[in-house]
Amino acid sequence: KWVRGRAWLAASLTIVILVVFILIPLTFLFFQIFQEAQALYSTLTSSFDKQAFISGLPPIFSNLSVDIDQYVKNILNFLVQNLGTIFSNLAKIFVSLFVFLMAFFFLLKDGGKLKQKIISLSPLTKDEDEAIIKKIALSINSVIRGNLLIAVLQGISTSIGLTIVGVPNPIVWGTLAAVGAL
């Protein structure tokens, strides 16, 4: 209604809103996670008293014997060995995001025409096709919303629990739990 029937303008505005309200905040969230991971790495690699660190953990971890240096070396070895793979995966993510945004734009712009074309090619009646499309849309919508809600709740509860227990960088671990739930 606001763009007076100009489908390309409505689709463009939707893409801009998607980028501004979803992709940019996600970028800031990932930046925060990166900063916390970097702080954790700095803490683990700097000269600090390991015994004091281990003794500062809650009693449930009292029997924990950790060689933090070895873990850091293993992580660094993994990163160095897989650096090319990491960068190529980042490039794939950006290309996939671009393709997704382009496809999303054209589906928003011409989705009604595509739906009508599919209905016209279907051997079923128009009412049957509409009923099937409504049921499919409801099912997809319910599954996606349910999965996203569970992932967000799991990430929030993990972060809160780890904060209460006193684990450093709880946002990193909570985000990993949320991503794992997806």
Side-chain angles (χ1 to χ4, degrees), residues 37-52:
Q38 194 174 26
L40 178 63
Y41 171 76
S42 296
T43 302
L44 293 177
T45 57
S46 67
S47 59
F48 72 99
D49 188 6
K50 293 177 195 169
Q51 292 301 328

Side-chain angles (χ1 to χ4, degrees), residues 16-78:
V16 168
I17 290 169
L18 173 81
V19 168
V20 168
F21 289 108
I22 294 176
L23 295 180
I24 291 176
L26 278 176
T27 303
F28 286 122
L29 176 67
F30 287 127
F31 183 71
Q32 177 67 30
I33 291 169
F34 177 75
Q35 284 182 328
E36 286 193 19
Q38 194 174 26
L40 178 63
Y41 171 76
S42 296
T43 302
L44 293 177
T45 57
S46 67
S47 59
F48 72 99
D49 188 6
K50 293 177 195 169
Q51 292 301 328
F53 176 75
I54 292 171
S55 65
L57 292 175
I60 193 168
F61 298 113
S62 62
N63 294 332
L64 182 70
S65 75
V66 178
D67 186 6
I68 294 174
D69 291 336
Q70 187 61 38
Y71 286 126
V72 170
K73 287 178 186 175
N74 289 342
I75 291 170
L76 287 176
N77 268 341
F78 174 79

Side-chain angles (χ1 to χ4, degrees), residues 82-170:
N82 296 306
L83 200 56
T85 305
I86 291 169
F87 282 122
S88 69
N89 285 340
L90 281 175
K92 286 178 189 177
I93 288 171
F94 286 123
V95 169
S96 296
L97 180 63
F98 177 75
V99 169
F100 165 75
L101 289 174
M102 292 300 292
F104 190 54
F105 170 80
F106 285 106
L107 283 173
L108 286 172
K109 184 173 142 316
D110 299 324
K113 293 176 188 175
L114 180 64
K115 178 182 164 186
Q116 293 305 320
K117 185 70 173 173
I118 291 171
I119 288 173
S120 70
L121 294 174
S122 173
L124 302 173
T125 66
K126 185 175 180 178
D127 292 335
E128 291 171 333
D129 286 333
E130 291 290 339
I132 290 171
I133 290 173
K134 283 182 184 178
K135 287 182 181 180
I136 290 173
L138 179 65
S139 298
I140 291 171
N141 210 354
S142 299
V143 168
I144 290 174
R145 285 184 184 190
N147 281 341
L148 288 176
L149 180 65
I150 288 171
V152 168
L153 291 175
Q154 187 171 350
I156 290 171
S157 62
T158 301
S159 295
I160 290 171
L162 292 175
T163 301
I164 291 170
V165 174
V167 174
N169 304 313

Side-chain angles (χ1 to χ4, degrees), residues 167-181:
V167 174
N169 304 313
I171 293 177
V172 172
W173 303 113
T175 305
L176 288 174
V179 169

